[in-house]
Amino acid sequence: MTEFIIGEDFPKNQFEFEKRFSTEQACRDYLAAIKWPDGFHCRKCGHQAYWISARGLYICTLCESPNSLTAGTVMHGTKKPLTYWFKAMWWFTTRKSGVNAINLKDLLGLGSYQTAWLWLHKLRDCTIRQNRERLSGTVEADEFVIGGQQPGKRGRGANGKTIVVAAVEKEGKQLGRIRLQVVPDCSGDVLEQSVKTNVMPGSTVATDGWKGYNFLDKGSYTHVQVVAAHTAKKESVLPGVHLVASLVKRLILGTFQGRFDPKHLQSYLDEYVFRFNRRKSRNIGKKFMRMVQQVAASTKATYNQIKAGTFSFSLLAN
Ligand SMILES: [Zn+2]
């Protein structure tokens, strides 16, 4: 019988992780406890008694349906042991900076770059928690562009560039949580949708003078328009978002040498937000446990969906 974990049970450091999750059985038990926090429930009939098959399936004793720990999640159909996935999840959550597929391929000794690339995208797609809380309090919002050098006209699709809306909580001079969203243009409709998705009504939103933010004057937000004096540098107007924008650009430059496929940018931004918003958390084991929870609750993603960059976008819409 699997011992189900009650409450918060996670390895506190690298040593504990390696000691605890060295066997397939240990990973399976942990994943089962996360998947069924109130004990096993057959997905078909809800019955609570089971036996475990040689292939690690939880077979319902009443209707005999096989219940898989990985089916229907991003691990669907995996041929690799769970110990590999656990190692990848631990590594992904405990790294401080960005990660790339070559790092993961070397870490796990995977035969193909493509597998490492796919796994990494799947883990990135698990960094967004469904029903996560929106930003609140005082929030700076602005757009910035990644890729392409020439300045383009605002409010239209930028040539060859990807536009990102950044929203940053301000706690005095300190930065709180952030959100980053790839958008097609800087029109009022697009910015309104982005702010409403990412910022709680009732918050104070600081923006520059761009007319695309005029919707903030009539809605449920308090709008603070920060207009620069002729001599002021743009960075001093909305310092939080400009700092975040420069950090993101540095990440893209450092992790991917500036080469990235725009259709995967949202996925890289999600990973960045995940790390940034947890930067003050010292408890690496807890971050790992949350990742396992996200992976256990994730939905199946095909190679084609990920390749096309449509998977994380579908999550974002929720
Ligand atoms: Zn059943």
Side-chain angles (χ1 to χ4, degrees):
M1 283 288 260
T2 302
E3 286 226 3
F4 289 100
I5 308 163
I6 298 158
E8 311 268 278
D9 174 16
F10 46 81
K12 287 181 190 63
N13 51 47
Q14 177 90 22
F15 180 76
E16 281 191 20
F17 170 80
E18 284 174 8
K19 201 171 150 199
R20 180 166 178 182
F21 296 109
S22 60
T23 67
E24 200 60 9
Q25 188 61 51
C27 297
R28 205 180 278 164
D29 289 349
Y30 193 76
L31 195 55
I34 292 228
K35 189 180 169 81
W36 297 299
D38 307 317
F40 171 82
H41 284 79
C42 172
R43 69 188 158 84
K44 216 162 191 186
C45 74
H47 190 62
Q48 291 189 276
Y50 63 92
W51 56 276
I52 301 175
S53 76
R55 288 173 53 220
L57 294 168
Y58 287 66
I59 315 290
C60 172
T61 57
L62 190 65
C63 76
E64 298 187 337
S65 289
N67 290 261
S68 160
L69 288 171
T70 53
T73 73
V74 291
M75 297 184 286
H76 189 96
T78 188
K79 291 187 183 71
K80 294 280 183 225
L82 281 178
T83 48
Y84 278 55
W85 281 98
F86 270 61
K87 207 169 173 184
M89 287 189 276
W90 176 265
W91 170 80
F92 183 89
T93 37
T94 56
R95 285 284 303 243
K96 283 212 175 65
S97 56
V99 290
N100 65 41
I102 294 170
N103 304 147
L104 183 62
K105 179 177 177 285
D106 292 346
L107 178 89
L108 298 178
L110 294 170
S112 90
Y113 172 83
Q114 202 187 50
T115 304
W117 183 89
L118 189 62
W119 278 35
L120 201 42
H121 267 285
K122 286 178 171 183
L123 293 181
R124 286 190 183 109
D125 287 331
C126 291
T127 56
I128 299 186
R129 199 156 40 87
Q130 299 278 344
N131 308 320
R132 59 184 178 171
E133 260 179 51
R134 286 178 279 179
L135 306 185
S136 59
T138 300
V139 177
E140 288 181 5
D142 200 3
E143 331 88 54
F144 64 94
V145 291
I146 295 188
Q149 292 303 316
Q150 321 109 302
K153 273 190 186 162
R154 212 172 177 187
R156 303 183 184 178
N159 322 318
K161 292 177 220 172
T162 309
I163 309 168
V164 178
V165 174
V168 178
E169 280 177 346
K170 289 296 292 287
E171 295 160 354
K173 284 194 171 178
Q174 304 281 318
L175 303 187
R177 295 171 301 157
I178 64 168
R179 289 294 176 81
L180 298 166
Q181 185 178 15
V182 172
V183 292
D185 57 60
C186 302
S187 63
D189 287 348
V190 166
L191 294 175
E192 182 170 356
Q193 186 271 338
S194 180
V195 170
K196 284 182 174 167
T197 306
N198 293 300
V199 185
M200 284 284 278
S203 305
T204 298
V205 184
T207 70
D208 62 13
W210 173 242
K211 64 180 187 323
Y213 291 105
N214 288 354
F215 72 92
L216 286 165
D217 297 321
K218 22 186 171 54
S220 43
Y221 298 96
T222 304
H223 188 198
V224 178
Q225 235 176 25
V226 192
V227 183
H230 268 317
T231 50
K233 280 189 179 171
K234 209 181 176 219
E235 298 83 69
S236 60
V237 178
L238 296 165
V241 277
H242 286 102
L243 175 63
V244 169
S246 67
L247 291 171
V248 169
K249 286 175 187 174
R250 201 187 299 166
L251 163 91
I252 297 296
L253 209 65
T255 311
F256 308 106
Q257 283 79 48
R259 290 189 302 270
F260 69 92
D261 189 335
K263 68 176 181 283
H264 296 306
L265 183 63
Q266 185 64 53
S267 172
Y268 303 136
L269 296 176
D270 292 343
E271 180 194 337
Y272 185 78
V273 169
F274 173 80
R275 288 188 204 292
F276 190 93
N277 289 350
R278 286 160 187 79
R279 70 198 182 283
K280 287 174 187 161
S281 161
R282 294 239 173 95
N283 209 335
I284 57 172
K286 198 168 188 171
K287 287 193 262 189
F288 165 76
M289 183 183 72
R290 297 273 175 260
M291 189 67 185
V292 181
Q293 286 172 333
Q294 295 279 100
V295 167
S298 64
T299 48
K300 182 176 144 185
T302 64
Y303 177 74
N304 287 337
Q305 278 175 314
I306 287 179
K307 191 83 187 153
T310 53
F311 184 62
S312 62
F313 278 92
S314 65
L315 268 176
L316 200 70
N318 285 319

